[in-house]
DNA sequence: ATGAAAGCGCTAACAC
DNA sequence: GTGTTAGCGCTTTCAT
């Protein structure tokens, strides 16, 4: 099973290894007769250029990478594996864009209890890579980004010398909230945020605040409840809100879809009708939101676009490493479904 | 931006390059004091081992690959990007399994009009890879599989010395057909196949034939219509079937979901009710089938499993290249939904 | 436990 | 158009 090398091919084709190399890199630089002779031998021998050797010699791999967190499939499944994960869309977007630019895509998720560095594993084998926010320690990124183009996906801009793509969390939540207020006349609103260190959730809460302010409503200085972005926490937060003294809110806005979906269960169980008695909204636009009853109004993140833009940024920086770091803000879209009171 | 190497680290840490190398491969083989000194320097310099150099020297990359066809996103979208593609599930399955085994995943789709060999691109940078059937010419696989573990996904077993994983197409279609006949009493059935060179579609048709035979119904020797597995072709095939003289079929079985979904549109447009007037079934189990009205009865392929099994086979073969080639058949499950007459 | 030295298979000048 | 010659940055014996 020892693989044939340029030397083997060169010898049998009676040319130098340089010519063999040329045949595979710039065929046009080799006379046709020679080229075909080389190709024939290569085919016969089953020669395939070693990516490692190429990478070493040329200092470039033709591969872009993506690091993402150790996602948890189990929360995704409803009753099977049919749910598109956010990361799937990013992967697809990156793959598509990478392909267009002639790159392959290396993907790696962090190991749950993984001691070893994800970044080191990926960084050594690619020409540049994208990282989903909070997947790897900032310090590591700091180091590796000195050597390699790195683009940060989502999350806030933690490192200002990195290219960075984020989605319009604040703006999206603001629009959504305004919709609830202006189009559905709901004014007694409750917002369920995420952990305090979740920048996305914070940004969304800020959007909520802005909308309240826009409408002349009282502006809360903290979410009415917080959760860890899981369905279970959505349920818990909902219970907590309903247990508060005074009238129940007319609408509960959740910092993400999972929590909103969790809330639906609680509300139904309590005999509260959505959206008649209480409106519910999420954020992210995961497919699950359209499968629930009622379908959940949410804000869709352009995950595929995130991936494509990431590749574009990487390719640009590869072409010109001196470019000033760029920070792109991707627009989101409010998806109106039944849970906010919009007809189906 | 020139990356630091073992030499840089070695020099500053006052050790040999061999020791630096050891620190990153088997830390235990180095005295703690030395190790920490090396690590400190490495961190300071931002040293990251070069995957290419490692690969070259050690003849192994720690990466597994996946080649798939140049899929067409445009057919996927319904009204957005929410649809999980078959390949997404395979990717996710492979990624998960690869991660468990300590491998990263390199994915590459063939370029639509791509002249260059996908296989060559991938083969040179991985320790082994999976190929979705019909993605690359058999001849190329033949060659590269002499050097590298390759596992073929889906499709028939074209090369008997390759590991191979397929899905129980025939059996699934047979079960589904039997369900239609026995549980819903439909006997005037029409089958819409795929291109004649689509082995999956052929296998499904064969399952249909077997079920007809089982039930004592006339056994057709060719599909009633064929399509290219797209929604558009599903519509066309349906039109064609309805235009035939004589009574319309009581059920139309499609070789895949996309065509079945296309059919739904035609049927609705014609005022035919599904399943009352005519039952419809698909194959694959794409998420779209549960979102249509009515939801489509189909046969779900375990795409995630495909990916996981692929990695397992690759890892096994890497561990023992002399193993006899294995051919795994993955079971499918009939998903009964409204379009066949089952309650929702 | 550590070092010295020989490649791994290729690309990239540069000569011819 | 083709050949020569250095490396690319690491792993791997084999010494010490």
């Amino acid at each position: 099973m020892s693989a044939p090398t340029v030397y083997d091919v060169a010898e049998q084709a009676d040319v130098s290894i340089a010519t063999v190399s040329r045949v595979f890199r710039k065929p046009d630089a080799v006379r046709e007769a020679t080229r075909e002779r080389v190709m024939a031998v290569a085919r016969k021998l089953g020669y395939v250029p070693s990516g490692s050797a190429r990478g070493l010699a040329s200092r470039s791999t033709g591969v872009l990478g993506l690091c993402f967190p150790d996602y948890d499939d189990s929360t995704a499944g409803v009753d099977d594996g049919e749910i598109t994960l956010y990361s799937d869309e990013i992967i697809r977007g990156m793959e598509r864009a990478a392909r267009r630019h002639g790159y392959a895509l290396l993907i790696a998720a962090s190991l749950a209890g993984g001691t070893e560095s994800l970044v080191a594993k990926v960084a050594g084998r690619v020409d540049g890579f994208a990282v989903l926010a909070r997947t790897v320690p900032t310090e590591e990124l700091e180091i590796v980004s000195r050597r390699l183009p790195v683009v940060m996906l989502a999350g806030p801009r933690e490192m200002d010398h990195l290219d960075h793509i984020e989605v319009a969390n604040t703006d999206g939540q603001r629009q959504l909230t305004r919709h609830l207020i202006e189009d559905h006349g709901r004014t007694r609103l409750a917002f369920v945020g995420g952990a305090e260190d979740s920048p996305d959730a914070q940004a969304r809460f800020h959007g909520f605040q802005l909308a309240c302010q826009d409408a002349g409503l009282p502006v809360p200085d903290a979410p009415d409840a917080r959760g860890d972005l899981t369905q279970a926490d959505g349920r818990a937060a909902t219970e907590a809100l309903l247990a508060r003294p005074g009238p129940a809110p007319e609408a509960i806005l959740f910092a993400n879809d999972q929590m909103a979906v969790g809330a639906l269960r609680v509300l139904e169980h309590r005999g509260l009708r959505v959206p008649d008695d209480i409106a519910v909204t999420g954020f992210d636009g995961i497919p699950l939101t359209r499968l629930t009853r009622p379908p959940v109004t949410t804000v869709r993140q352009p995950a595929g676009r995130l991936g494509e833009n990431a590749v574009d940024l990487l390719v640009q920086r590869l072409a010109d490493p001196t470019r000033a770091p760029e920070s792109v803000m991707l627009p989101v879209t409010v998806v109106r479904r039944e849970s906010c009171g919009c007809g189906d």
Side-chain angles (χ1 to χ4, degrees), chain A:
Chain A
M1 260 252 203
S2 84
T5 72
V6 274
Y7 292 96
D8 302 317
V9 176
E11 185 178 339
Q12 292 204 31
D14 202 34
V15 294
S16 73
I17 59 167
T19 296
V20 175
S21 176
R22 285 194 194 96
V23 167
F24 283 86
R25 285 179 301 119
K26 2 161 143 180
D28 301 331
V30 178
R31 201 194 319 155
E32 179 163 345
T34 316
R35 192 197 320 153
E36 299 198 332
R37 189 152 34 95
V38 171
M39 284 304 271
V41 174
R43 205 141 35 214
K44 171 180 138 209
L45 259 36
Y47 169 75
V48 177
S50 152
S52 295
R54 278 188 142 156
L56 222 209
S58 68
R59 295 118 166 300
S60 87
T61 63
V63 179
L64 295 179
L66 169 65
C67 299
F68 51 100
D70 180 41
Y71 56 78
D72 185 358
D73 264 336
S74 62
T75 72
V78 191
D79 62 0
D80 52 43
E82 291 187 356
I83 300 305
T84 297
L85 264 16
Y86 188 58
S87 50
D88 282 338
E89 287 186 60
I90 295 183
I91 290 172
R92 198 154 71 230
M94 282 195 76
E95 198 285 321
R96 190 187 311 133
R99 192 177 351 148
R100 272 204 303 269
H101 290 287
Y103 285 95
L105 183 66
L106 182 72
I107 64 179
S110 59
L111 317 64
T115 68
E116 210 196 308
S117 159
L118 220 207
V119 169
K121 184 161 193 174
V122 171
R125 349 192 121 278
V126 300
D127 292 341
F129 64 101
V131 191
L132 228 42
R134 327 193 120 262
T135 301
V136 301
T138 310
E139 189 211 351
E140 268 195 290
L141 275 188
E142 172 64 57
I143 291 176
V144 84
S145 67
R146 301 207 302 254
R147 280 42 257 191
L148 214 59
V150 175
V151 40
M152 188 82 141
L153 263 33
R157 191 171 198 192
E158 293 176 350
M159 310 171 60
D160 53 359
H161 65 286
L162 248 51
D163 285 315
H164 171 239
I165 306 177
E166 67 186 320
V167 295
N169 284 307
T170 300
D171 186 54
Q173 187 70 60
R174 186 180 191 169
Q175 282 182 44
L176 176 58
T177 308
R178 182 189 310 148
H179 169 63
L180 239 23
I181 297 170
E182 295 185 359
D183 302 336
H184 295 299
R186 313 262 170 156
T187 55
R188 212 162 54 247
L189 311 176
F191 187 89
V192 178
E196 301 204 36
D197 65 340
S198 162
D200 285 329
Q202 287 294 56
R204 290 167 195 177
F205 175 61
H206 187 224
F208 174 74
Q209 290 178 308
L210 292 175
C212 289
Q213 184 179 325
D214 295 344
L217 295 177
V219 178
D221 47 51
D224 295 82
R226 289 183 187 279
D228 213 21
L229 306 181
T230 64
Q231 290 191 28
D233 280 17
R235 286 196 294 274
T238 305
E239 303 273 18
L241 289 179
L242 294 178
R244 294 195 303 192
E250 294 170 340
I252 308 181
L253 298 85
F254 291 85
N256 80 335
D257 287 335
Q258 293 285 3
M259 293 200 296
V261 170
L264 250 32
R265 298 251 295 267
V266 171
L267 263 14
E268 179 179 14
H269 193 253
R270 294 227 178 184
L272 290 169
R273 292 174 312 160
V274 176
D276 303 1
D277 298 324
I278 192 165
V280 166
T281 67
F283 204 113
D284 279 347
I286 65 175
L288 180 53
T289 52
R290 79 168 352 162
L291 303 177
T292 53
R293 270 205 314 224
V296 176
T297 289
T298 184
V299 178
R300 176 154 47 237
Q301 299 207 40
R305 284 271 204 76
L306 252 187
E308 296 189 32
N309 279 38
V311 169
D312 291 343
L313 281 180
L314 288 174
V315 169
Q316 284 174 36
R317 181 155 302 286
L318 248 11
D320 173 14
T322 68
R323 289 173 69 249
E326 196 167 320
S327 188
V328 179
M329 170 87 75
L330 256 29
V332 296
T333 48
V334 174
V335 181
R336 303 174 180 193
R337 292 200 274 240
E338 289 179 47
S339 76
C340 70
C342 284
D344 66 335

